[in-house]
Amino acid sequence: MQALATRGRTCGVTGVPRTSSTRPAVRSVVCRAAAEKTIFIPPWRDVYNDLRTKGLRTVAPEEAAEMLATGQWVLVDVRRPDQYAEGHAQGSLNVPMYSRIDLSSVDFAKALKVIAFSFNGVQPIDSNTSFTKDAMAAAPGKKFITLCEAGGTMKPTVNFPLGKPSRSLQAAWKIITEGGVGADDVAHLERGLYGWYQAELPIEGTYTPDLGRTPMAAQDPAVNNIAQSQGYEQKPGDKQQEQAAQKKNWFGF
């Protein structure tokens, strides 16, 4: 049993079941899937320190709305396309960091990835390797505000000295580092779409927060060295989540 756990760690895949029933052939497939991974995002510690050095700004939803109203900024939703389609901040553009793997056209490499994800108990997703290029093409000449489900945070605390990682923070790092966009022209939305919802800003479609979900739980093996998001940051006065949020259009952006 210990040998199985060791092999799981050695090939870079965490969460492989540590039971005597795990077959060697399956372990081999999992390790081969791990070997296929490419570095999509560096370890969170490196990303965090780089963003701190560059001075990435986190903005509250109300401030973000004012920035968008100037026409100089664009709100980039980096959640999966299916999540965006269900409900999103009014006027935001969807440039996903990750997407579900299309099981109808899975090649061999992706089949191995699906198996690896299944062992980790998460939904199979794939990194969008063209994310930075897609973001640049989606909003040429604009400044970027990135958002995801819960937002993460750059604020260090006793329990989380490196803040909390998130897709939107990763996205901001990629736009700055790979896209060559100045840090002054990139911002990160505080508390993500959940914060936008709590601020009662306009939402297109239907949005229902799920406080039992950790948005980063289904992350690509390429970023398995990044700590998982710790979920939603809640504040006093947050409204209850029994009802879905369906907002009328308030602004023209």
Side-chain angles (χ1 to χ4, degrees):
M1 188 178 299
Q2 181 61 36
L4 299 187
T6 301
R7 292 184 190 184
R9 289 194 297 269
T10 300
C11 72
V13 178
T14 59
V16 176
R18 303 183 183 187
T19 66
S20 57
S21 62
T22 305
R23 297 179 180 179
V26 174
R27 292 200 307 269
S28 176
V29 169
V30 174
C31 289
R32 287 168 65 188
E36 293 288 333
K37 66 184 180 180
T38 57
I39 297 177
F40 179 57
I41 292 289
W44 170 244
R45 178 182 296 274
D46 296 341
V47 172
Y48 174 83
N49 289 332
D50 199 23
L51 289 176
R52 290 270 293 185
T53 299
K54 289 180 167 63
L56 176 69
R57 182 162 55 120
T58 294
V59 295
E62 296 85 354
E63 182 180 359
E66 294 176 358
M67 294 162 67
L68 294 168
T70 68
Q72 299 178 23
W73 294 80
V74 64
L75 195 58
V76 178
D77 189 327
V78 304
R79 297 175 303 148
R80 297 194 318 262
D82 59 297
Q83 295 172 319
Y84 176 84
E86 183 177 346
H88 55 268
Q90 180 189 319
S92 62
L93 302 177
N94 185 216
V95 185
M97 287 278 286
Y98 305 94
S99 297
R100 285 176 173 172
I101 293 179
D102 183 1
L103 298 179
S104 66
S105 58
V106 173
D107 57 26
F108 182 70
K110 287 187 177 181
L112 296 179
K113 181 177 288 188
V114 169
I115 294 173
F117 268 77
S118 297
F119 268 91
N120 280 274
V122 297
Q123 185 180 82
I125 59 172
D126 211 2
S127 305
N128 178 11
T129 56
S130 64
F131 168 79
T132 305
K133 181 175 71 174
D134 293 346
M136 298 297 104
K142 295 286 189 177
K143 302 177 183 181
F144 299 87
I145 304 174
T146 60
L147 80 108
C148 58
E149 177 70 23
T153 182
M154 290 290 294
K155 297 176 183 177
T157 63
V158 173
N159 292 328
F160 302 101
L162 298 179
K164 298 177 183 179
S166 71
R167 288 170 291 182
S168 53
L169 286 169
Q170 293 174 356
W173 180 85
K174 288 179 77 71
I175 290 172
I176 294 170
T177 305
E178 299 176 357
V181 179
D184 290 341
D185 294 337
V186 181
H188 159 254
L189 185 65
E190 181 184 37
R191 299 209 296 168
L193 185 58
Y194 178 69
W196 185 271
Y197 157 76
Q198 288 293 350
E200 298 191 342
L201 291 168
I203 289 176
E204 296 179 357
T206 301
Y207 172 66
T208 306
D210 180 359
L211 299 184
R213 178 173 58 197
T214 53
M216 285 283 290
Q219 53 182 298
D220 188 278
V223 290
N224 63 7
N225 55 349
I226 298 177
Q228 291 184 350
S229 167
Q230 302 303 310
Y232 299 85
E233 177 188 349
Q234 296 182 273
K235 294 183 177 181
D238 277 358
K239 54 190 173 185
Q240 298 300 310
Q241 275 69 61
E242 288 85 356
Q243 299 294 325
Q246 193 162 21
K247 305 296 182 186
K248 59 184 179 181
N249 292 343
W250 289 358
F251 310 127
F253 57 78

